[in-house]
Amino acid sequence: MFRSLYNWTMSLAAHPHALLALGLIAFIESSVFPIPPDILIIPMVLAARDQAWKIALIATIASVLGGMFGYGIGAFLFESIGQPVIEFYGKTEYLEDFRTQYNDWGAWIVFIAGVTPFPYKVITIASGFFELNFTVFSISSLGARGLRFFFVAGLLWYFGQPIRIFIEKYLNILATIFCILLIGGFVALKYLI
């Protein structure tokens, strides 16, 4: 199933309405769709490197708007839509852990999920369900998704085709390392100051 979804999504990159397709994929990926927009961003930027920043901006805006939609699912439609999505990704057991952590760490949880391979849609729905401050949620989402998509587009813009394999192979690991270093830096500052 995932391979056919992946192939379908990749074919969209060559379509004349690829930017619209990217926006739609980025939007629905933030609330229910399993394939990340990165797989469209990569071939689109390689095909039109001069459009890299536009592609990243469209992905970022659509993803944040989709995250807001996911937030709405969590806030208003959790039992009918949100819970089945979270169950599909096998993250139900994390809900209670998140509930206790959200008040203090909600912004960081959203940011980390927006950059790393953790399913961002789970966090968007959980944020609505746990009533995370909507402004905090939106700013964290914008920062995380922007960082992720502009990083990918920037690497492709600068290095071109040779970086594609590297990004496809190591993006999740690099994003995770970045978040660990970022959090480690803030923790170190907290204890040093």
Side-chain angles (χ1 to χ4, degrees):
M1 177 177 113
F2 285 113
R3 173 52 69 188
S4 62
L5 276 175
Y6 178 84
N7 291 337
W8 173 76
T9 307
M10 286 295 287
S11 71
L12 291 176
H15 196 274
H17 301 293
L19 289 173
L20 177 61
L22 172 64
L24 290 172
I25 295 294
F27 182 89
I28 61 173
E29 183 271 337
S30 294
S31 51
V32 295
F33 194 62
I35 306 293
D38 306 73
I39 65 160
L40 268 179
I41 292 170
I42 293 169
M44 287 175 68
V45 172
L46 289 175
R49 286 170 67 184
D50 61 322
Q51 298 288 312
W53 311 122
K54 181 179 181 179
I55 291 166
L57 182 63
I58 289 170
T60 300
I61 292 170
S63 182
V64 171
L65 291 173
M68 292 173 177
F69 181 73
Y71 185 100
I73 290 172
F76 305 111
L77 301 169
F78 184 76
E79 288 185 20
S80 59
I81 298 174
Q83 192 164 357
V85 170
I86 290 173
E87 287 171 0
F88 175 80
Y89 289 100
K91 303 297 182 187
T92 306
E93 68 276 3
Y94 295 107
L95 280 179
E96 287 308 311
D97 292 338
F98 282 145
R99 182 184 301 275
T100 59
Q101 305 287 325
Y102 246 71
N103 288 335
D104 295 331
W105 298 98
W108 286 109
I109 291 170
V110 172
F111 184 86
I112 290 167
V115 175
T116 64
F118 188 88
Y120 177 61
K121 66 218 43 64
V122 170
I123 296 301
T124 66
I125 293 168
S127 294
F129 182 67
F130 297 137
E131 300 175 355
L132 178 66
N133 179 287
F134 186 73
T135 302
V136 169
F137 168 79
S138 300
I139 291 169
S140 293
S141 292
L142 184 61
R145 298 314 259 182
L147 177 67
R148 177 175 175 148
F149 300 142
F150 277 90
F151 178 71
V152 170
L155 286 175
L156 292 164
W157 174 81
Y158 187 77
F159 293 106
Q161 182 67 30
I163 199 73
R164 178 182 183 171
I165 295 167
F166 178 80
I167 290 173
E168 289 178 346
K169 189 172 183 179
Y170 297 111
L171 178 64
N172 291 336
I173 293 168
L174 292 171
T176 302
I177 290 170
F178 170 78
C179 285
I180 290 168
L181 292 173
L182 183 68
I183 292 169
F186 280 110
V187 170
L189 283 174
K190 180 179 178 180
Y191 290 107
L192 293 174
I193 295 177

